[in-house]
């Protein structure tokens, strides 16, 4: 992978580090090579080494950092927990990484109005934990929720299994405080819905740190539903499972979650978590419905019927919250479970209309045989968000190349079927060269114009989201990508 | 291993012997799901002090990009070896194994300051492994604590004259109890009622001096559950502290001694009440993976019978002729029980049998309290930060009693309670709670 080197000139570095230390204190600035090498990666396997990493504690700190960077013309990259899967938090051309791990206070909880104001470093699950006792939670639940930060969620517009009923991050963010590259502080949205003027909050959410640095977030909290029913439907063929997905929504039932795992994946998951998935099945659907008691019970019964009509071998219902948690633990740990059986894997993130699931599955199977690879499949099936996981051994460069090719074909197919190149993991520096596949030159020009309003010199998270024009229509994954156990230079 | 100019300076690459291996570290997919589970990351927010980051550093050493030098050592040292990251990790990374191997390398090939080496050798190699020397030291300490000398020394500020680590040690030294449990070595305690099981009790080295009452309670509770309890003479320190410090050869010697002592006892189970010891005892085979086959096999046979006392009681079905204990209690998971031995429900199940006990779940009970063996001695600042975070959660729980499952945690939490706004709060082992509940039944409903 080659991104043009930029960042701090050696002569500049000492001066900049010194200024940063004076601004923030020595404990909040990293600049030694042995420390910086820990910020080369995020959850994806591309890499780039920053020149310095800083840890602000307040909006004022961020303002000062941004002011200094602007003066010195140094790129800035925000970083939450670094669980991102598209290289978003990686300093592709060097520069200063602004880490939010210490800006992690919940500033205010207002249960009467169902909202909370937080710093961006708060971990997603910690917010739900803080209000759980009162019967509330924060709805968007990425599988990485125990680690990822709300700032990262905002930047990636993250979703999760419950996106189907609750929407993605943008549906739960009421307002933001943002520091722009010229060090000005702006407030978007507010504490209630539908403010007059342009929807700048909507613009910021999902902008992957290229329009501004988020320093405060006001989110909506949801009340826990009266009843949740979790079902596991077991199938002997993948086709039956994918048909069931469309059939359920055709009935007018909206489950709060509808997840699919194929046989290969569920066997790995079962071995890792003992969640009770049947080892000999070809696919399972994990389905959740919720609401007031009568509605949830009725929906669950209907779903059982639909599954039966579509040849489910068996439908189980979780009887206790412990059983429910166990079923979910299996799903939420699925990526990692595959990490156990393969030295490396590459997760693809694509979207298709859910009615096209059966043919997409066939296509992925054909990629397995064409490229001689194992591909596990985990889908947020309800909204057609696919996560094929391509297994390989990073020590084998030839196999690594095949993985990149197959992943590229899969994503192209998603677009052909009327879908998109990313469902929730974002564009980052992995897929920016693919943007022209999805958008016309006019569409992209509009995006560039908007970016130039907020980030005119391109100093915020350079090399991300919009195509650089250096590679054409390709995924950017280094051959030999994978765990940090791989050759990454 | 060769001298180069890798980051951090000095030698790069691992030397001969046990080391973090590709087969193990390549399981890490750098997803970061372990970050927020790691106590040091939660406190510092630094990737270097996170599980993912520590693994990355181990890999960079293997790659020749990073040296086994001050920076690497500092971050590996600051790890509590609490294994919380293993519970969080979906990918099955055996972090404990990796960090212990890395520490073995540091121990072999990195030169620490002379004072550190001296203290370490003295304590971990000259004292702990030798029951008689340990007992003599324990008597001295008991005299010092009881004679009033301690109060004088603590008040006088004399400690300030000592090196920082030694000074930190003094107030943390566990209270020596009288009589020492070492007097019970060699005893066989009959089961109450018909004998259902014959168990070997591993009393622990320091625990025999400082937790004699807990050990007595453990024996009583086991006996009340139909166990004949054998306390074999010749047993000794389990080697946990040595493993955590990378003193692997010394740990192997200690392991072999215990394996031999418990080998032919005809035990249904070997039981400990110390989760920290238990996890290493269960992992004895790891110490012998690259050693003689016979030792490895013997270690496996030993570890198969090893049980934490809560695990064992939960398995055999608890005698629940308890009296009533009207108390609000909260449970702090001991890291080496929850994360290393994966035992979560057993202690909770046992307490649920006691009438009147109202168990309030402690938020973040799965995060280390900062005790971690002798960690609180070596890294007092981090340990006290963790303890403060813990005590905040304890306050929220409004519990009267804090229950846990490991002597080290008892010491740390007691220190936290003493310094808190509710110093009357009790800290106890699950077994002590059960013991009291049995007692107050036989004392016909006496309330405590
Ligand atoms: C195992 C696993 C499962 C996952 N499951 C899901 C899932 O179900 N759904 C999903 O949507 N994602 C998922 N992800 C991807 C990832 O967790 C999300 O994208 C998450 O939102 C990233 O959060 P983070 O704090 O780790 O951000 P980082 O990775 O640190 O950063 C992500 C992006 O956000 C930007 N950013 C971070 N903080 C700020 C800020 N304060 N201001 C401006 N920009 C900022 C960064 O510059 C970067 O571009 C998963 C990842 C893993 C490893
Ligand atoms: S959770 Fe496991 S696989 Fe993921 S970064 Fe941590 S140790 Fe590595
Ligand atoms: S063992 Fe504990 S302290 Fe060490 S890396 Fe894992 S979670 Fe962090």
């Amino acid at each position: 992978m080659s991104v043009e080197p930029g960042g701090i000139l050696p002569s500049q570095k000492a001066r900049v580090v010194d200024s940063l230390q004076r601004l923030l204190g020595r404990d909040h600035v990293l600049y030694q090579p042995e420390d910086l090498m820990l910020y080369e990666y995020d959850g994806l396997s591309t890499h780039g080494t920053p020149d310095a990493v800083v840890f602000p504690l307040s909006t004022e700190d961020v303002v000062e950092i941004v002011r200094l960077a602007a003066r010195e013309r140094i790129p800035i990259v925000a970083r939450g927990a670094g669980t991102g899967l598209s290289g978003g938090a990686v300093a592709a051309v060097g520069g200063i990484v602004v880490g939010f791990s210490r800006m992690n206070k919940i500033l205010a909880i207002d249960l009467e109005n169902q909202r909370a104001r937080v710093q961006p470093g708060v971990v997603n699950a910690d917010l739900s934990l803080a209000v759980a006792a009162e019967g509330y939670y924060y709805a968007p639940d990425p599988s990485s929720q125990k680690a990822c930060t709300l700032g990262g969620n905002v930047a990636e517009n993250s979703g999760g299994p419950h996106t189907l009923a609750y929407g993605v991050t943008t549906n739960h963010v009421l307002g933001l405080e943002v520091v722009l590259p010229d060090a000005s502080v702006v407030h978007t949205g507010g504490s209630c819905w539908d403010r007059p003027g342009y929807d700048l909050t909507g613009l910021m959410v999902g902008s992957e740190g290229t329009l501004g640095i988020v320093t405060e977030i006001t989110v909506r909290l949801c009340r826990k539903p009266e009843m949740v029913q979790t079902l596991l439907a077991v199938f002997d063929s993948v086709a039956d499972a994918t048909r069931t997905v469309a059939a359920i929504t055709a009935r007018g039932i909206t489950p709060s979650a509808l997840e699919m795992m194929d046989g290969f994946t569920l066997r790995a998951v079962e071995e890792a978590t003992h969640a009770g998935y049947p080892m000999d099945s070809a696919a399972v659907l994990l389905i959740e419905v919720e609401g007031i008691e009568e509605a949830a019970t009725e929906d669950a019964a209907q779903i059982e019927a639909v599954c039966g009509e579509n040849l489910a071998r068996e439908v189980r219902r979780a009887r206790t919250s412990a059983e429910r948690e166990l079923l979910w633990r299996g799903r939420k740990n699925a990526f990692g479970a595959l990490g156990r059986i393969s030295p490396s894997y590459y997760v693809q993130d694509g979207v298709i209309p859910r009615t096209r699931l059966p043919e997409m599955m066939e296509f992925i199977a054909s990629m397995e045989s064409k490229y001689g690879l194992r591909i596990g499949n985990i889908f947020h099936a309800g909204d057609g968000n696919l996560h094929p996981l391509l297994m390989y051994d990073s020590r084998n460069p030839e196999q690594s190349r095949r993985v990149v090719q197959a992943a590229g074909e899969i994503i192209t197919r998603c677009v052909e079927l009327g879908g998109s190149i990313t469902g929730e993991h974002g564009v980052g520096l992995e897929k920016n060269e693919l943007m022209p596949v999805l958008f016309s030159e006019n569409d992209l020009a509009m995006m560039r114009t908007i970016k130039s309003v907020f980030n005119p010199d391109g100093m915020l998270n350079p090399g991300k989201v919009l195509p650089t024009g250096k590679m054409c229509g390709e995924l950017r994954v280094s051959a030999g990508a994978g765990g940090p156990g791989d050759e990454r230079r | 291993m060769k001298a180069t100019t890798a980051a951090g300076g000095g030698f790069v690459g691992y030397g001969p012997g046990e080391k973090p291996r590709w087969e193990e570290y390549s399981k890490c997919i750098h997803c970061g799901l372990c970050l927020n589970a790691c106590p040091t990351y939660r406190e510092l927010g630094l990737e270097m002090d996170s599980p993912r980051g520590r693994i990355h550093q181990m890999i960079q050493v293997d790659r020749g990009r990073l040296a086994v030098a001050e920076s690497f050592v500092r971050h590996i040292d600051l790890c509590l070896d609490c294994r919380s990251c293993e519970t969080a990790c979906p990918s099955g990374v055996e972090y404990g194994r990796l960090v212990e191997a890395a520490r073995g390398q540091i121990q072999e090939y990195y030169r620490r300051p002379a004072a550190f080496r001296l203290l370490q050798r003295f304590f971990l190699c000259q004292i702990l492994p030798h029951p008689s020397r340990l007992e003599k030291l324990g008597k001295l300490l008991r005299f010092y604590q009881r004679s009033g000398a301690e109060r004088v020394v603590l008040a006088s500020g004399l400690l300030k004259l000592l090196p920082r680590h030694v000074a930190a040690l003094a107030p943390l030294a566990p209270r020596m109890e009288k009589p020492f449990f070492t007097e019970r070595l060699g005893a066989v305690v009959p089961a109450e009622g018909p004998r259902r099981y014959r168990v070997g009790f591993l009393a622990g080295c320091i625990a025999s001096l400082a937790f004699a009452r807990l050990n007595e309670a453990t024996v009583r509770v086991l006996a009340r559950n139909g166990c004949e309890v054998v306390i074999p003479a010749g047993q000794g320190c389990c080697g946990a502290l040595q493993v955590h410090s990378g003193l692997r050869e010394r740990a192997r010697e200690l392991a072999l001694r215990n394996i031999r002592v418990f080998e032919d006892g005809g035990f249904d189970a070997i039981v400990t009440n110390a989760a920290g010891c238990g996890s290493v005892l269960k992992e004895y085979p790891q110490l012998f993976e690259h050693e003689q086959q016979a030792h490895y096999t013997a270690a496996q046979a030993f570890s198969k019978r090893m049980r934490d006392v809560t695990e064992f009681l939960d398995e055999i079905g608890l005698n629940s002729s308890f009296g009533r204990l009207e108390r609000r209690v909260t449970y702090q998971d001991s890291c080496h029980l929850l994360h290393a031995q994966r035992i979560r429900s057993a202690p909770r199940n046992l307490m649920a049998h006691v009438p009147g006990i109202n168990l309030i779940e402690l938020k973040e009970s799965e995060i280390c309290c900062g005790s971690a063996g002798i960690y609180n001695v070596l890294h007092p600042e981090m340990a006290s930060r963790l303890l403060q975070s813990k005590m905040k959660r304890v306050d929220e729980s409004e519990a009267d009693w804090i229950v846990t499952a490991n002597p080290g945690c008892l010491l740390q939490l007691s220190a936290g309670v003493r310094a808190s706004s509710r110093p009357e709060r009790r800290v106890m082992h699950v077994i002590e709670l059960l013991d009291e509940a049995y007692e107050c039944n036989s004392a016909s409903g006496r309330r405590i």
Side-chain angles (χ1 to χ4, degrees):
Chain A
M1 186 201 97
S2 77
V3 184
E4 254 172 43
I8 304 185
L9 302 169
S11 59
Q12 228 182 335
K13 177 153 173 169
R15 181 176 75 232
V16 170
V17 166
D18 189 58
S19 308
L20 287 169
Q21 285 184 332
R22 256 179 295 129
L23 280 177
L24 305 170
R26 299 177 69 83
D27 284 351
H28 301 291
V29 183
L30 303 177
Y31 60 95
Q32 303 278 20
E34 62 266 31
D35 293 338
L36 298 179
M37 67 170 64
L38 277 293
Y39 290 84
E40 292 169 343
Y41 54 80
D42 65 358
L44 181 77
S45 27
T46 36
H47 76 285
T49 312
D51 296 289
V53 183
V54 295
F55 299 95
L57 299 176
S58 65
T59 304
E60 293 71 50
D61 285 352
V62 176
V63 168
E64 292 303 326
I65 294 163
V66 171
R67 184 170 290 142
L68 176 79
R71 196 169 64 229
E72 298 276 352
R73 301 195 55 78
I74 302 168
I76 285 199
V77 182
R79 182 183 175 97
T83 67
L85 289 170
S86 54
V90 166
V93 298
I96 301 176
V97 163
V98 181
F100 281 98
S101 55
R102 294 175 182 173
M103 241 173 107
N104 60 352
K105 306 270 166 316
I106 297 176
L107 299 170
I109 291 176
D110 172 5
L111 288 180
E112 269 104 81
N113 295 301
Q114 292 193 216
R115 64 197 181 195
R117 199 159 50 84
V118 302
Q119 288 187 318
V122 170
V123 168
N124 176 306
D126 284 351
L127 178 58
S128 288
L129 181 70
V131 292
E134 287 81 19
Y136 291 87
Y137 73 113
Y138 175 68
D141 60 339
S143 306
S144 51
Q145 73 188 125
K146 289 210 160 139
C148 64
T149 67
L150 291 166
N153 292 173
V154 166
E156 300 288 356
N157 194 13
S158 295
H162 291 82
T163 294
L164 188 55
Y166 287 87
V168 284
T169 302
T170 195
N171 305 108
H172 298 266
V173 174
L174 298 168
L176 296 172
E177 179 185 81
V178 182
V179 177
L180 298 178
D182 63 359
S184 58
V185 181
V186 296
H187 293 89
T188 73
S191 47
C192 47
W193 286 113
D194 215 5
R195 305 249 296 190
Y198 298 120
D199 180 11
L200 296 182
T201 309
L203 194 57
M204 283 291 162
V205 176
S207 64
E208 303 189 20
T210 63
L211 299 185
I213 298 187
V214 175
T215 48
E216 229 177 80
I217 310 165
T218 305
V219 296
R220 188 158 72 107
L221 299 172
C222 294
R223 257 205 93 74
K224 284 189 199 156
E226 184 183 301
M227 181 185 239
V228 180
Q229 292 272 359
T230 309
L231 299 103
L232 183 78
V234 183
F235 294 87
D236 288 325
S237 98
V238 174
D240 291 337
T242 49
R243 261 201 313 276
T244 307
V245 172
I248 289 173
T249 38
R251 283 282 171 98
I253 312 166
T254 308
S256 51
L258 176 43
E259 303 282 304
M260 181 178 140
M261 252 186 268
D262 69 0
F264 174 67
T265 310
L266 72 88
R267 277 185 281 281
V269 168
E270 182 57 26
E271 270 169 21
T273 58
H274 309 293
Y277 301 160
M279 294 291 274
D280 60 341
S281 58
V284 293
L285 293 178
L286 186 59
I287 311 164
E288 201 156 272
V289 287
E290 57 184 49
I292 53 168
E293 194 172 334
E294 298 77 30
T297 315
E298 166 61 24
D299 282 354
Q302 284 223 29
I303 287 172
E304 274 172 344
V306 178
C307 292
E309 287 158 25
N310 286 282
L311 307 178
R313 183 215 296 182
E314 180 194 352
V315 185
R316 296 187 198 160
R317 261 197 231 197
R319 277 157 312 193
T320 60
S321 63
E323 280 184 21
R324 168 175 187 244
E325 235 168 74
L326 195 59
L327 287 176
W328 276 111
R329 184 159 357 124
R331 166 60 188 90
K332 295 214 163 176
N333 287 330
F335 288 0
L338 288 172
R340 284 171 190 249
I341 58 174
S342 170
S344 306
Y345 67 74
Y346 173 68
V347 197
Q348 189 50 282
D349 170 38
V351 187
I352 53 165
R354 63 179 165 241
T355 47
R356 311 298 288 269
L357 268 177
E359 59 192 292
M360 191 65 201
M361 283 303 295
E362 276 171 33
F363 181 78
I364 292 174
S366 76
M367 289 295 103
E368 278 195 296
S369 42
K370 177 170 171 189
Y371 289 103
L373 297 167
R374 280 296 350 209
I375 304 181
N377 284 293
I378 309 171
F379 302 162
H380 303 303
D383 37 35
N385 188 182
L386 318 176
H387 291 317
L389 289 106
L390 296 81
M391 315 286 138
Y392 66 107
D393 184 334
S394 61
R395 290 168 301 180
N396 178 346
E398 197 276 319
Q399 195 184 36
S400 310
R401 268 192 298 279
R402 277 185 276 140
V403 162
V404 178
Q405 283 166 356
E409 282 203 41
I410 290 172
I411 209 70
T412 312
R413 187 75 188 146
C414 286
V415 178
E416 285 167 8
L417 290 177
S420 162
I421 57 171
T422 168
E424 55 185 17
H425 296 168
V427 178
L429 52 72
E430 176 198 21
K431 289 180 173 168
N432 52 343
E433 310 300 351
L434 281 174
M435 290 287 272
V437 181
L438 196 60
F439 296 103
S440 74
E441 198 33 58
N442 279 351
D443 302 345
L444 288 171
M446 169 70 101
M447 290 191 206
R448 283 201 190 89
T449 310
I450 287 177
K451 179 173 166 188
S452 69
V453 172
F454 289 91
N455 183 13
D457 301 326
M459 284 296 168
L460 274 189
N461 215 353
K464 314 285 172 70
V465 185
L466 293 175
T468 61
K470 294 206 183 89
M471 299 158 81
C472 208
E474 284 172 40
L475 278 174
R476 190 185 281 116
V477 191
S478 40
D486 307 321
E487 289 311 331
R488 304 165 82 202
R489 272 159 295 144
Chain B
M1 191 159 75
K2 53 184 190 298
T4 67
T5 52
F11 290 99
V12 293
Y14 292 117
E18 287 154 276
K19 60 179 189 182
R21 282 169 205 284
W22 189 90
E23 293 69 26
E24 284 144 22
Y25 65 60
S26 67
K27 281 194 202 142
C28 173
I29 53 172
H30 60 110
C31 62
L33 293 201
C34 49
L35 262 57
N36 200 39
C38 172
T40 58
Y41 181 82
R42 292 167 65 95
E43 291 297 328
L44 301 176
L46 293 175
E47 192 71 28
M48 296 89 82
D49 291 308
S50 78
R52 172 173 68 176
R54 290 190 175 110
I55 293 170
H56 190 67
Q57 289 169 89
M58 292 176 206
I59 295 170
Q60 299 314 311
V61 170
D62 213 13
R63 287 274 163 80
R65 270 182 89 201
L66 181 67
V68 178
E70 192 274 334
S71 169
F72 178 70
V73 172
R74 181 157 37 92
H75 298 302
I76 298 297
D77 275 357
L78 200 64
C79 168
L80 297 140
D81 204 354
C82 71
R83 318 256 301 255
S84 174
C85 46
E86 287 189 19
T87 302
C89 178
S91 196
V93 172
E94 292 179 68
Y95 177 85
R97 193 191 266 277
L98 285 168
V99 76
E100 281 154 23
R103 286 183 173 169
Q105 287 279 325
I106 291 172
Q107 188 64 34
E108 283 297 312
Y109 303 110
Y110 177 74
R111 220 173 148 72
R112 301 207 183 250
F116 184 97
R117 274 181 289 144
L118 206 75
L119 264 176
Q120 190 189 46
R121 260 224 310 283
F122 175 68
F123 192 61
L124 295 182
C125 303
Q126 301 300 324
I127 298 291
L128 286 193
H130 303 282
S132 59
R133 293 184 202 165
L134 183 63
E135 194 173 328
K136 276 194 201 110
L137 189 75
K139 283 192 177 138
L140 247 161
L141 193 58
R142 188 163 69 192
F143 175 74
Y144 163 78
Q145 289 169 340
R146 298 192 167 202
S147 64
E150 183 185 42
R151 249 175 301 129
V152 175
V153 170
L154 286 179
S156 71
L158 269 176
L159 287 173
K160 296 207 182 86
L161 300 175
L162 293 172
R164 194 168 51 93
H165 287 325
V166 187
L169 246 171
L172 282 172
R175 312 296 305 172
M176 295 294 123
E177 292 183 351
K178 195 166 184 163
F180 287 157
F181 193 77
T182 41
E183 292 175 11
R184 300 277 262 161
L185 288 178
V188 178
V189 179
E192 266 181 36
R195 182 182 103 170
R196 297 162 66 203
Y197 301 95
R198 179 177 158 85
V199 304
F201 181 55
L202 218 144
C205 55
I206 301 179
S208 292
L209 312 181
F211 291 93
R213 283 194 287 271
L214 166 61
N215 279 354
E216 293 293 354
T218 307
V219 172
R220 273 196 300 276
V221 169
L222 283 167
R224 283 197 205 257
N225 280 277
C227 298
E228 175 185 48
V229 186
V230 183
I231 311 160
Q235 59 170 293
C237 173
C238 65
L241 293 177
Q242 287 79 0
V243 170
H244 295 163
S245 308
L247 291 158
R248 300 187 70 81
E249 201 43 54
R250 184 58 63 150
R252 275 189 275 275
E253 288 163 19
L254 296 174
L256 279 177
R257 178 169 71 190
N258 285 329
I259 291 170
R260 299 238 163 78
V261 166
F262 284 89
E263 212 156 38
D264 304 317
F267 300 125
D268 297 307
I270 306 166
V271 172
T272 173
N273 58 24
C277 305
S279 71
V280 166
L281 291 160
K282 285 181 178 177
E283 286 168 3
Y284 270 175
Q286 283 186 19
L287 283 169
F288 297 99
E289 273 169 0
H290 307 287
E291 309 287 315
Q292 282 178 42
Q293 183 61 35
H295 287 170
Y296 181 71
T297 318
Q300 273 188 318
F302 176 90
S303 294
K304 262 223 297 285
R305 279 182 300 165
M306 199 61 225
R307 292 286 182 282
D308 184 78
V309 63
T310 61
E311 176 187 23
F312 182 69
L313 290 171
D314 193 41
E315 261 172 30
I316 63 174
L318 191 67
N319 158 13
S320 53
S321 52
F322 292 116
R324 222 180 152 72
L325 292 178
E326 213 61 69
R327 281 294 186 283
R328 190 176 167 94
V329 308
T330 196
Y331 177 69
Q332 160 66 16
D333 282 287
S334 290
C335 297
H336 284 103
L337 196 63
L338 176 65
H339 302 303
Q341 301 183 53
R342 303 289 155 96
I343 297 173
R344 192 189 138 76
S345 48
R348 292 174 169 82
N349 292 346
L350 297 180
M351 288 187 277
H353 282 284
V354 178
I357 288 291
N358 177 11
L359 180 68
I360 308 297
E361 281 295 338
L362 184 68
K363 273 190 192 170
E364 292 164 4
S365 69
E366 71 285 0
I367 302 289
C368 183
C369 65
S371 159
I374 48 172
Y375 186 93
N376 51 357
V377 176
L378 297 173
H379 305 280
E381 285 119 76
M382 178 57 69
S384 90
R385 282 175 75 156
L386 293 171
L387 184 57
Q388 276 166 21
S389 304
K390 185 60 58 192
M391 294 316 292
K392 249 193 247 145
R393 292 304 194 190
V394 168
D395 281 339
E396 280 171 25
S397 77
E398 297 179 355
D400 307 316
W401 291 354
I402 313 171
V403 185
T404 185
N406 184 47
C409 313
L410 292 172
L411 285 179
Q412 177 81 343
L413 292 169
S414 302
V417 166
R418 271 199 304 278
S420 78
S421 57
R422 284 190 57 187
E424 76 288 357
R425 219 174 233 144
R426 278 184 65 191
V427 180
M428 55 168 60
H429 193 289
V430 184
I431 291 303
E432 292 174 303
L433 186 146
L434 299 183
D435 187 49
E436 277 189 27
Y438 284 129
E439 281 299 308
C440 81
N441 187 34
S442 40
S444 67
R446 176 173 61 96
R447 286 273 174 102
I448 49 169

